[in-house]
Amino acid sequence: MTEPAQVTLPFDYTVLVVDDDDVALEGVLRSFKRHGVPCRTETAGDGREALTILRGQNPGKAVDTPVIVLLDLNMPNMDGFQFLEELRADAELKRTVVFILSTSSRDQDRSRAYDEHVAGYMVKSAVGPQFAQLAQFITKYATTQNLPAIALS
């Protein structure tokens, strides 16, 4: 009897971390590296920059794989809610998978985020020391879901 062939899953996706807090950004990126999260990463300091990246209009940053966005809510220029409103109104980007990663545990923020069709809402303090649980969660999510392809203009 022969053993079944080992299946190798493609891990071709990008996590776009949108947060103006450099410490949080670095913590997420280090956690992903430490826990071997099989993805590409990109960062944006606010919602406006994230939209330019997703639309292929940012000269220094780009994504060309399915994307998972980790979105902070409280940012300058364009906050997380403004980003979500514009993202969901964009025919090419409206299906983008977005998880909130915020310091806010306010019920009204969580409700408003789910009204904008986020895939989940995580409070930074609850995802484990150095974002360990976040890294494990993203790995499981991305490797068990069929993510929508990004449609660049």
Side-chain angles (χ1 to χ4, degrees):
M1 186 165 147
T2 61
E3 291 188 30
Q6 200 169 19
V7 177
T8 304
L9 297 174
F11 297 118
D12 201 16
Y13 65 98
T14 300
V15 175
L16 174 60
V17 186
V18 186
D19 198 323
D20 66 317
D21 180 346
D22 290 338
V23 174
L25 282 172
E26 188 61 31
V28 170
L29 297 177
R30 281 186 182 165
S31 179
F32 280 24
K33 187 173 184 176
R34 182 179 307 115
H35 293 90
V37 179
C39 70
R40 300 174 190 179
T41 56
E42 193 56 79
T43 62
D46 63 39
R48 192 170 322 285
E49 182 182 11
L51 286 170
T52 66
I53 293 168
L54 291 170
R55 290 176 173 148
Q57 300 167 343
N58 188 304
K61 298 179 180 182
V63 293
D64 59 358
T65 61
V67 176
I68 297 171
V69 175
L70 293 178
L71 178 67
D72 187 26
L73 295 178
N74 302 311
M75 297 176 290
N77 302 318
M78 178 183 273
D79 69 25
F81 289 120
Q82 293 167 321
F83 168 82
L84 281 169
E85 288 171 15
E86 192 162 331
L87 183 80
R88 297 306 182 216
D90 186 313
E92 293 182 357
L93 298 176
K94 67 183 178 183
R95 291 182 189 90
T96 302
V97 175
V98 178
F99 288 96
I100 300 300
L101 181 60
S102 177
T103 56
S104 174
S105 59
R106 296 175 4 146
D107 287 337
Q108 54 267 49
D109 285 345
R110 188 171 43 252
S111 295
R112 185 175 173 195
Y114 279 114
D115 287 345
E116 292 293 339
H117 308 286
V118 298
Y121 191 105
M122 296 173 273
V123 177
K124 289 177 182 177
S125 62
V127 291
Q130 293 123 9
F131 298 106
Q133 291 177 359
L134 174 65
Q136 295 165 359
F137 171 77
I138 291 297
T139 299
K140 291 283 188 197
Y141 183 85
T143 58
T144 60
Q145 302 302 306
N146 191 356
L147 297 170
I150 188 164
L152 297 175
S153 310

